[in-house]
Amino acid sequence: MARYLLGVNFQSGVVEAPMDEWTPEEIAAHLDYYGAIREELTASGERVQSEVLVGPDLAKIVTSDGVGAPVVTDGPFQEFKEWLAGFQIVDVESEERAIEIAAKLSAVPGPGGMATQQPIQLRQVMEQTPADVAEMESYLQTAGGKR
């Protein structure tokens, strides 16, 4: 089994109308669809965690030198489409299954019941974090796109 994070941001996919212009029925269908996926993944034992995040207007950036008090600022201030709206962590048998779940999330309905085709970021959770210089160098090679 491998764990994957499926990140959902506010990119609208093929839907141009912002959600505040959707009908209440369209919003309900959108939320019900997510609920059905959550129930399916819970029933199959694949759901580890799923969360919806508050908007960036309530986010904070924390930096610290490890000595003094941390510096806390408002932010981040990305474009709306870059806001991380929520995520799911699934524990699945294969990357193919994780892609299948991500595809279901991408097909969440929007106005008129049309699939939004919202981009879903799929990232495998590392089984073990780098513990020494050699492991970190190896990780940085793959993180930089070299495979």
Side-chain angles (χ1 to χ4, degrees):
M1 301 285 281
R3 290 183 300 149
Y4 287 85
L5 180 133
L6 292 82
V8 179
N9 62 23
F10 280 99
Q11 286 183 328
S12 60
V14 298
V15 174
E16 292 186 21
M19 191 175 278
D20 62 359
E21 295 178 7
W22 296 11
T23 67
E25 296 79 18
E26 291 167 338
I27 294 170
H30 184 85
L31 296 173
D32 289 347
Y33 183 91
Y34 275 126
I37 292 174
R38 186 176 52 254
E39 289 176 18
E40 173 191 331
L41 296 175
T42 299
S44 69
E46 295 170 308
R47 180 179 171 268
V48 174
Q49 182 178 358
S50 58
E51 304 292 343
V52 177
L53 304 173
V54 300
D57 56 326
L58 299 176
K60 304 288 183 214
I61 301 294
V62 179
T63 56
S64 174
D65 63 6
V67 179
V71 175
V72 181
T73 57
D74 292 336
F77 298 107
Q78 307 106 318
E79 290 185 44
F80 182 75
K81 67 182 181 177
E82 297 170 337
W83 292 2
L84 183 63
F87 65 90
Q88 297 202 29
I89 298 176
V90 295
D91 194 2
V92 294
E93 290 290 334
S94 66
E95 182 179 80
E96 290 76 22
R97 176 62 179 143
I99 290 171
E100 182 181 317
I101 295 167
K104 285 184 179 184
L105 291 172
S106 177
V108 65
M114 182 175 83
T116 63
Q117 300 179 42
Q118 182 178 31
I120 304 298
Q121 186 177 133
L122 178 67
R123 309 250 326 254
Q124 185 172 359
V125 177
M126 294 179 67
E127 292 180 25
Q128 179 178 331
T129 59
D132 59 32
V133 173
E135 289 176 1
M136 182 55 80
E137 287 176 348
S138 176
Y139 168 74
L140 291 174
Q141 286 181 349
T142 59
K146 299 175 187 170
R147 296 184 179 225

